[in-house]
Amino acid sequence: MSRATLRRVVVLGATGSIGVSTLDVVERHPDRFEVYALTAHRQIDRLYEQCLRFRPACAVVDRATDAQALAARLRAAGCPTEVLHGEAALVEVAAHPSADVVMAAIVGAAGLRPTLAAARAGKCVLLANKEALVLGGALFMQAVREGGATLLPIDSEHNAVFQSLPPAYDGRLEGAGVRRILLTASGGPFRDVPLSALDSVTPEQACAHPNWVMGRKISVDSATMMNKGLEVIEAHWLFTAPADRIEVVVHPQSVIHSMVEYVDGSVIAQLGNPDMRTPIAHALGFPDRIEAGVSSLDLFLIGQLTFQRPDMERFPCLRLAYDALRAGGAAPAVLNAANEEAVAAFLDGRIGFRAICEVIACALERGHGLSVESLEAVLESDRRARELARAAIARQEGR
């Protein structure tokens, strides 16, 4: 493959776990990919090292002071990377004509605007940002259609569903003979602990995921199973599936990443070691298969695979997510924003683990009259939901 045909990759959120894994896969295929832009929020030292290694045309950080400092360090090291800052710069690199593939891996609502920009610009969007669909699913999918973008899911569960659906799946479950989508969940670190023990859970315990290496926020979401709730909403938009056709299955080994059941009784599953480089490599190489650096799955070593129904008393956040999906409108956006605020408060030691669900439920109860019909409306709903969540957190702290 000549340099002119190399696919130029933008990694939004390059210093997070998905971004690092993406660059690991990219580096294994210098004949296929080159890095056009890398972005980071605050991990400037790691971004500096990545710029030296991959020498992208652009790097984007949040603050002007960080941009100035990074630019000076890169110049001193002889690296030609241009350093930009702010949300407008994120949008610029995501939609830039020089970019072919955009890995959307910025966690939270902050990733919505640049991910939308990439879709509207017709990029191949590798979606690792749940919030683009949870906050503004209709808006985002419209941008994908109108921009002519290619949308490939990176969450291991949605990537597994994508691989298990027919190649020509057009969003019609009945037309494809699909009965239901089965999203697997590890159950996190508290799957089997006594319910009474959840009252004293610490952030360190909540972040100790048994199978996956993830950031702190996502690890807490796994512990509450809110991550699975958000994935149910995401699956609704990705695969045009109603809530009652999406089922969550607790699968502690995290070997089966998700399944699709067909009307003839067949169940097709995607299996693999719990390593995010597998779905990343699948999406980067699609429709080809490329090396990911992931070890082969040893079924003899695993020995057995087990499955459980999710306990909604233990994981009430999952129930709230289903409720929000069925309610529609701005309810998923309120759910997401309140969850982000509640998890941050928990990680800061301001509220207890079980109070996360209470904060979200309060925001959903009070977050009426909000809209997600435009990007501005989505962001306003997000802002208002955060206000409601912060008020609920303050009441929790006052107890």
Side-chain angles (χ1 to χ4, degrees), residues 62-76:
D62 184 35
R63 300 182 297 194
T65 52
D66 287 336
Q68 293 166 0
L70 177 61
R73 291 175 67 185
L74 291 173
R75 281 196 303 271

Side-chain angles (χ1 to χ4, degrees), residues 331-380:
V334 173
L335 176 95
N336 177 76
N339 179 64
E340 286 190 16
E341 294 293 327
V343 170
F346 167 69
L347 288 171
D348 289 343
R350 294 161 51 208
I351 63 173
F353 180 75
R354 299 187 87 168
I356 293 172
C357 180
E358 296 176 24
V359 168
I360 299 166
C362 182
L364 284 169
E365 183 179 344
R366 301 185 181 198
H368 300 297
L370 301 175
S371 169
V372 288
E373 293 182 358
S374 66
L375 177 57
E376 292 70 24
V378 168
L379 297 176
E380 175 59 22

Side-chain angles (χ1 to χ4, degrees), residues 214-242:
M214 303 181 293
R216 284 169 65 80
K217 190 267 181 184
I218 298 176
S219 295
V220 175
D221 283 349
S222 178
T224 65
M225 275 188 74
M226 177 58 86
N227 73 320
K228 207 55 49 179
L230 297 176
E231 287 168 12
V232 168
I233 298 170
E234 192 177 4
H236 161 73
W237 290 109
L238 285 170
F239 308 117
T240 325

Side-chain angles (χ1 to χ4, degrees), residues 236-281:
H236 161 73
W237 290 109
L238 285 170
F239 308 117
T240 325
D244 60 2
R245 303 282 285 275
I246 306 168
E247 185 170 344
V248 173
V249 179
V250 176
H251 168 52
Q253 293 82 14
S254 295
V255 170
I256 296 177
H257 298 301
S258 277
M259 299 168 273
V260 173
E261 181 185 1
Y262 290 84
V263 294
D264 63 3
S266 298
V267 178
I268 297 179
Q270 186 265 335
L271 286 71
N273 283 319
D275 190 319
M276 286 305 298
R277 290 177 297 176
T278 294
I280 290 168

Side-chain angles (χ1 to χ4, degrees), residues 56-106:
C58 301
V60 181
V61 297
D62 184 35
R63 300 182 297 194
T65 52
D66 287 336
Q68 293 166 0
L70 177 61
R73 291 175 67 185
L74 291 173
R75 281 196 303 271
C79 180
T81 299
E82 179 184 8
V83 182
L84 309 171
H85 74 276
E87 186 178 60
L90 287 175
V91 170
E92 179 183 345
V93 299
H96 199 280
S98 296
D100 302 306
V101 179
V102 177
M103 169 58 78
I106 296 176

